[in-house]
Amino acid sequence: MYSEAWPRYSQLVCPLETGFLSAGDKKALEGPGLTPPRLLEAARLVRQRENSRLLKLSLDIEAEEEIDRPESIRKVLEIACASGTMKTTLECIENAKPEAVMLKVQAPFSALMLLTGSDRAFKWICSYPAEMHRALRTLTERTAGFCIEAIARGTPLLSLADPSGMPELLGKRRYEEFCAFYTLLLLRKLYPHLEQAVAHICPRTSLVLEKLGLLHAEVRRTRTEHYADAVLELAADSTVRWLGHRCINAEQTAETRAFVLHPDPPSVCIRPMEDADWDAVARIYGDGIRSGKATVVKTLPEKRQWLAAHRECLVAEHLHHVVGFAALGGGAVPEISIYIEDDFRRLGVGTALITRLQSRTEGKIRSLIFAGNEPSIRLHEKMGFCKTDSFRFADDPRPVLVYEWEAKR
């Protein structure tokens, strides 16, 4: 049963290639509202007129109210990300099986530009960077969640573009900070879910990311005559997660090569924590608290209280974002605490942080690790820590392992 609140055609932001639909087509499809069957009918009509191999749908986040001030961005985003438009698209994907659906996705920066308007967005990234980063993180997480659901429902192909992300206009630093970081964060969140699907990155974006040393390309020969068939063939290959350097719209081009993209390990800058880093440190530490795997602490402490309990804190910065930190407590044998953002684990960030702390330490340091936290145990053993003891906290039944490291004299 379909809801009476299905969005009307005019309310959807390009759910498909509308240039192939005449005014009569649009009027006929409008009806009482653009339900999933009507949207699917429109997408099939477009595919026929375009002579395409792919059934093309779009993920578009549309705000129902104007975003006229930066502090309203997150509230409007919460509403927009739960819109009927996105649910309609998901139902279409489900109903389209076994047809090959291509879901067109805007990268976070371009999606935010559409919501706020380019004039405001360019001003706000300069005047209100913290609010813009919160909005971009929200968009990244919601877009990733929607795409993962679309993959689970059978989408083999995500087409990712960032048309507003132009280093020529933003400059290298702002491009890295506001565009490249969130595009790669989105792709990292999708990576584990792309065993039977693929993310195809617009060449304007993939070539810039490669130039910045954030990914590299591998040429892969295919057995098909048309590029769209080559992409679908590679989507079924579990070793292929990202494609790029070619335009997916040139799907009928005769081509026997495709460019498989691989992420490069993030280059991180290890530096002392600054006052402005607290929001990022608190967010990463808060994630660790909520996981229940890293600490017995139940609530995030006040900034002043936390800083007073640690004599040194280093942060790992990637593309001008803090993605992890390591802190040393007080005492005769200081205790190390290390936390890495989920999407940057097992990429060398923890190793870089511990290495820097060890280089600045003359005596012993120790780490308390829950017995089931295997990734942390492996990291510390790799860095030369040895297990010296174990115990249990009074209010937690899990064994706690004591690992120690001592600088060579």
Side-chain angles (χ1 to χ4, degrees):
M1 180 181 293
Y2 296 116
S3 165
E4 294 180 359
W6 288 118
R8 297 186 67 78
Y9 189 93
S10 58
Q11 294 174 318
L12 272 96
V13 182
C14 188
L16 38 79
E17 300 289 345
T18 54
F20 287 89
L21 296 179
S22 66
D25 293 329
K26 295 176 184 179
K27 186 175 181 180
L29 290 166
E30 172 79 24
L34 199 60
T35 61
R38 287 182 179 275
L39 179 56
L40 197 53
E41 180 185 350
R44 286 168 174 157
L45 181 59
V46 168
R47 179 181 58 188
Q48 178 186 353
R49 293 189 177 178
E50 195 182 14
N51 192 26
S52 174
R53 171 80 168 80
L54 306 167
L55 189 69
K56 298 176 182 177
L57 298 168
S58 290
L59 164 59
D60 294 294
I61 300 173
E62 182 184 24
E64 295 183 2
E65 59 183 270
E66 185 180 10
I67 302 176
D68 56 359
R69 57 190 189 281
E71 57 268 25
S72 68
I73 295 177
R74 292 189 75 189
K75 177 184 175 183
V76 175
L77 278 179
E78 292 294 331
I79 298 171
C81 289
S83 70
T85 303
M86 300 172 77
K87 295 174 184 176
T88 303
T89 304
L90 281 175
E91 285 213 30
C92 281
I93 293 169
E94 185 79 37
N95 296 336
K97 294 177 182 178
E99 299 169 75
V101 173
M102 181 180 86
L103 183 63
K104 301 175 69 175
V105 181
Q106 293 272 5
F109 182 77
S110 289
L112 189 58
M113 289 279 281
L114 287 174
L115 286 168
T116 61
S118 58
D119 290 345
R120 286 178 179 149
F122 280 118
K123 291 177 183 176
W124 288 352
I125 62 174
C126 299
S127 303
Y128 307 99
E131 290 294 337
M132 296 297 278
H133 281 307
R134 292 188 191 102
L136 285 165
R137 188 167 286 276
T138 298
L139 269 174
T140 303
E141 291 170 354
R142 293 305 181 91
T143 300
F146 183 91
C147 290
I148 291 167
E149 179 65 23
I151 293 167
R153 296 195 185 203
T155 298
L157 173 58
L158 305 175
S159 175
L160 180 68
D162 192 15
S164 299
M166 294 180 283
E168 307 93 322
L169 293 179
L170 291 165
K172 182 175 182 288
R173 179 190 167 90
R174 286 203 176 102
Y175 176 82
E176 290 176 341
E177 181 180 353
F178 290 94
C179 300
F181 178 83
Y182 292 104
T183 296
L184 283 170
L185 183 59
L186 173 61
L187 288 167
R188 287 190 187 280
K189 288 180 180 294
L190 296 177
Y191 196 91
H193 305 274
L194 292 170
E195 290 188 348
Q196 295 298 312
V198 71
H200 192 286
I201 309 169
C202 169
R204 277 184 62 180
T205 299
S206 65
L207 289 167
V208 172
L209 296 178
E210 183 178 44
K211 185 177 180 181
L212 291 173
L214 301 171
L215 52 76
H216 63 276
E218 166 205 351
V219 177
R220 186 74 63 93
R221 296 287 175 180
T222 62
R223 301 188 299 271
T224 59
E225 294 184 2
H226 294 159
Y227 187 58
D229 292 324
V231 170
L232 292 174
E233 175 188 312
L234 291 170
D237 185 338
S238 63
T239 66
V240 177
R241 306 296 174 99
W242 303 347
L243 294 171
H245 292 10
R246 293 284 311 277
C247 181
I248 191 62
N249 292 322
E251 59 175 281
Q252 297 179 15
T253 304
E255 182 59 77
T256 58
R257 298 180 310 160
F259 293 92
V260 179
L261 305 180
H262 303 280
D264 286 331
S267 58
V268 293
C269 168
I270 307 299
R271 58 171 177 78
M273 176 185 170
E274 299 172 357
D275 190 64
D277 298 325
W278 171 249
D279 284 350
V281 168
R283 175 177 51 78
I284 295 169
Y285 186 37
D287 288 342
I289 292 172
R290 285 185 290 274
S291 75
K293 299 177 180 179
T295 178
V296 292
V297 175
K298 303 298 182 185
T299 58
L300 187 68
E302 294 287 337
K303 175 182 176 182
R304 185 178 300 177
Q305 176 190 358
W306 189 86
L307 290 174
H310 297 87
R311 68 187 195 188
E312 183 173 17
C313 181
L314 300 176
V315 298
E317 187 180 76
H318 173 59
L319 295 178
H320 319 289
H321 290 257
V322 171
V323 297
F325 71 90
L328 276 182
V333 180
E335 180 184 330
I336 182 175
S337 301
I338 182 165
Y339 292 84
I340 311 299
E341 188 169 338
D342 284 353
D343 297 292
F344 290 89
R345 292 175 183 170
R346 293 178 290 279
L347 296 173
V349 178
T351 299
L353 282 165
I354 293 179
T355 299
R356 181 63 62 87
L357 271 181
Q358 288 174 329
S359 71
R360 298 160 68 95
T361 302
E362 294 182 356
K364 284 184 179 182
I365 54 177
R366 70 173 186 170
S367 183
L368 306 182
I369 310 171
F370 282 124
N373 192 347
E374 292 298 329
S376 185
I377 291 171
R378 287 195 296 269
L379 171 63
H380 284 80
E381 289 180 345
K382 182 182 79 169
M383 301 306 297
F385 284 73
C386 297
K387 180 185 171 185
T388 59
D389 199 358
S390 65
F391 67 95
R392 283 179 169 85
F393 289 107
D395 58 349
D396 195 308
R398 293 174 292 178
V400 178
L401 309 180
V402 180
Y403 275 81
E404 292 187 349
W405 173 88
E406 185 172 6
K408 296 179 180 179
R409 299 185 184 279

